[in-house]
Amino acid sequence: MVLYKLEDFEPSYQESFDGHDIKGQGVYTQGTDEKVGTVSDVLVDEEGHFRYLVVDLGFWIFGKKVLLPIGRARIDYNTDRVYTIGLTREQAEDLPEFDERQTLDYDYEERVRGVYRQPTDYNNLPVEAATPLDPLAGLDPLGTPVAPLGTTPTYARDSYTYENEPALYGLNEQDHQTLRLYEERLIASKRRQKTGEVTIGKHIETDTARVAVPIERERVVIERVTPADAGTPVSGREADFREGEVARIEIHEETPDIRKEAFLREEVRVRKVVEQDTVETQETVRREELDVNSGNLPIEER
């Protein structure tokens, strides 16, 4: 059973109380009108039903906040007061302190309920939710097991509901005379959720590149030819016989010189864009209307 602060459950809750705010109202003991403290907050269940008043016991126990089940309170909107039903100072001292940072689990609520429970609240009430059934429990005229006089039933953690104990959580007509009409309305909100992830990185691919480089090679060509004046006698002075005469010619050849050079090819820029859209939805909402059955009596509505 999850509990919510009234303002978190319904931010505009004051509209349901004709502008009144229950928070800040003084808390008094019924009968003696002794001031106990003030209402600091209200806790409601998942359906919006009042379950607890958070009471600051500053007039009894300074600095201590406790939970007051709504069935143990009477709210008087005319005087802006809340009256406790049967709460004693001893019970206030035994109540576990309320801390809004603490999780309100079943065990904590059981400690609270254990202080407020009175055996007379359970006399002759069905105990089918009790676990285990008290062997001393009797049967009502219809054969339904009932709690024995002077005892309180023990409820199971998994099956407990607030309706099991109307003495703690019921709003009876004697203590609450205001009939409130409720209406549902659609509250549109948004929540951001992750739909995916894009990972952008880089890797290296290899390829074989080909390049053509023209090169030159030198070679010696020896050509023997018969001159036109071959066979013509020459003088001894012209005929210079030299042994070992050599002609030297340098031969060159080009070889390709291949190297790699890195250069910037392109830039990749990554950014997000937000696209806006409007989503329409519909849901059935309920509204309470007042039914008046007066018979033949005249009724005036204001």
Side-chain angles (χ1 to χ4, degrees):
M1 292 176 286
V2 182
L3 296 175
Y4 305 90
K5 289 184 177 181
L6 178 58
E7 188 171 6
D8 294 339
F9 185 85
E10 177 51 72
S12 57
Y13 69 92
Q14 294 183 8
E15 297 177 1
S16 301
F17 295 92
D18 298 329
H20 294 283
D21 193 348
I22 189 173
K23 293 193 293 185
Q25 291 188 1
V27 181
Y28 297 80
T29 57
Q30 190 175 40
T32 62
D33 274 2
E34 179 183 1
K35 189 168 186 178
V36 174
T38 56
V39 177
S40 64
D41 221 321
V42 181
L43 302 182
V44 300
D45 62 15
E46 295 176 333
E47 297 181 355
H49 299 301
F50 280 26
R51 294 309 180 189
Y52 295 101
L53 302 181
V54 180
V55 180
D56 186 342
L57 296 176
F59 284 80
W60 268 3
I61 306 173
F62 180 76
K64 183 176 182 180
K65 293 183 179 180
V66 298
L67 296 184
L68 176 65
I70 193 63
R72 293 294 189 198
R74 182 173 65 85
I75 304 173
D76 190 340
Y77 293 101
N78 295 324
T79 61
D80 287 336
R81 284 188 174 190
V82 175
Y83 292 95
T84 64
I85 301 175
L87 179 64
T88 64
R89 186 186 291 266
E90 290 74 16
Q91 286 178 315
E93 293 174 351
D94 292 339
L95 284 170
E97 187 168 358
F98 171 76
D99 185 351
E100 61 183 14
R101 296 170 298 182
Q102 174 183 346
T103 302
L104 298 182
D105 55 13
Y106 176 83
D107 295 328
Y108 178 86
E109 290 191 73
E110 270 297 292
R111 291 172 57 197
V112 174
R113 289 189 283 263
V115 175
Y116 288 104
R117 282 174 178 144
Q118 298 178 7
T120 55
D121 295 334
Y122 302 91
N123 292 340
N124 297 325
L125 287 179
V127 293
E128 60 273 8
T131 305
L133 289 178
D134 192 314
L136 299 179
L139 300 176
D140 65 8
L142 298 178
T144 303
V146 295
L149 296 178
T151 63
T152 59
T154 302
Y155 296 97
R157 176 190 298 268
D158 298 333
S159 61
Y160 182 85
T161 63
Y162 293 114
E163 285 71 22
N164 291 140
E165 299 186 90
L168 296 182
Y169 302 106
L171 298 178
N172 56 75
E173 295 180 358
Q174 178 180 355
D175 297 320
H176 301 272
Q177 296 292 333
T178 302
L179 179 63
R180 300 189 179 277
L181 304 179
Y182 294 93
E183 179 178 352
E184 293 178 332
R185 61 183 178 185
L186 295 181
I187 304 298
S189 61
K190 299 185 295 184
R191 61 185 178 91
R192 188 180 180 90
Q193 64 181 10
K194 181 178 179 180
T195 58
E197 183 178 73
V198 177
T199 302
I200 300 175
K202 61 180 183 179
H203 68 281
I204 299 175
E205 291 187 356
T206 60
D207 197 1
T208 300
R210 300 180 182 275
V211 61
V213 180
I215 60 175
E216 293 181 351
R217 294 188 183 94
E218 295 179 344
R219 60 189 178 90
V220 176
V221 178
I222 301 174
E223 184 180 1
R224 291 184 177 185
V225 298
T226 302
D229 57 351
T232 303
V234 296
S235 65
R237 189 174 52 190
E238 289 181 286
D240 185 12
F241 289 93
R242 295 179 184 179
E243 185 177 356
E245 185 176 2
V246 177
R248 297 181 181 275
I249 300 176
E250 292 184 351
I251 305 300
H252 297 87
E253 179 182 348
E254 294 179 337
T255 59
D257 183 12
I258 306 299
R259 60 187 178 88
K260 294 187 291 185
E261 181 182 54
F263 64 94
L264 180 63
R265 187 182 59 168
E266 64 176 329
E267 288 184 344
V268 178
R269 298 178 181 177
V270 181
R271 60 190 179 92
K272 295 192 300 183
V273 296
V274 178
E275 297 181 352
Q276 294 184 342
D277 195 3
T278 300
V279 178
E280 294 186 0
T281 184
Q282 62 181 20
E283 186 60 70
T284 301
V285 295
R286 298 174 297 175
R287 181 178 63 252
E288 293 181 338
E289 297 289 349
L290 186 64
D291 295 328
V292 179
N293 185 4
S294 62
N296 296 325
L297 298 176
I299 296 296
E300 177 183 357
E301 292 188 16
R302 297 183 179 180

